Amino acid sequence: MLRYLPFLLIIALTIYAFIDCLNTPEEEVKHLPKAMWVLIILLFSIVGPVVWLFAGKKRVASGGGRGPRGRSQWVAPDDNPEFLKSLREEQENKDRDKDKDKDSD
């Protein structure tokens, strides 16, 4: 069983690189068109996936997505001021509708 391990690792690496390449937006692919990367990954079993992982895609640093204030680009809904504002506006609209219904009765 242990003798099959290198082959399984090569297949797993190829599958991972292939799926990663397919899921990467075209604007994040470096050096070659996406279709060429797919061919390289599939035709060159060890070298293709390794080259894709190191040179084929724009990678962000480990603290990636940081804005100018050191805050992540994505914010939890309860910390997002725009989301909280939309909730307040929605609640105000519901309150107005309730008041109109009471006035019309």
Side-chain angles (χ1 to χ4, degrees):
M1 180 68 183
L2 196 57
R3 64 181 172 184
Y4 298 119
L5 185 62
F7 299 111
L8 293 175
L9 290 175
I10 292 170
I11 291 171
L13 177 66
T14 303
I15 291 171
Y16 174 79
F18 178 71
I19 292 172
D20 186 43
C21 182
L22 290 179
N23 288 333
T24 301
E26 188 72 40
E27 56 271 0
E28 291 183 19
V29 176
K30 296 188 329 185
H31 306 296
L32 295 172
K34 194 172 180 178
M36 289 299 296
W37 278 115
V38 169
L39 288 174
I40 289 171
I41 291 168
L42 294 176
L43 292 177
F44 303 104
S45 63
I46 298 173
V47 176
V50 171
V51 171
W52 163 255
L53 293 174
F54 286 106
K57 179 179 178 180
K58 292 180 186 174
R59 306 278 178 189
V60 293
S62 60
R66 300 262 174 214
R69 294 183 290 168
R71 188 165 207 179
S72 176
Q73 209 173 10
W74 295 99
V75 179
D78 57 344
D79 292 336
N80 187 340
E82 294 173 9
F83 178 73
L84 295 173
K85 181 180 176 185
S86 71
L87 287 177
R88 267 186 252 115
E89 290 172 353
E90 187 176 313
Q91 186 62 39
E92 288 171 1
N93 289 338
K94 285 182 182 178
D95 291 343
R96 276 190 224 126
D97 290 343
K98 285 181 182 178
D99 290 340
K100 286 180 184 177
D101 288 342
K102 286 181 182 178
D103 291 341
S104 64
D105 288 336

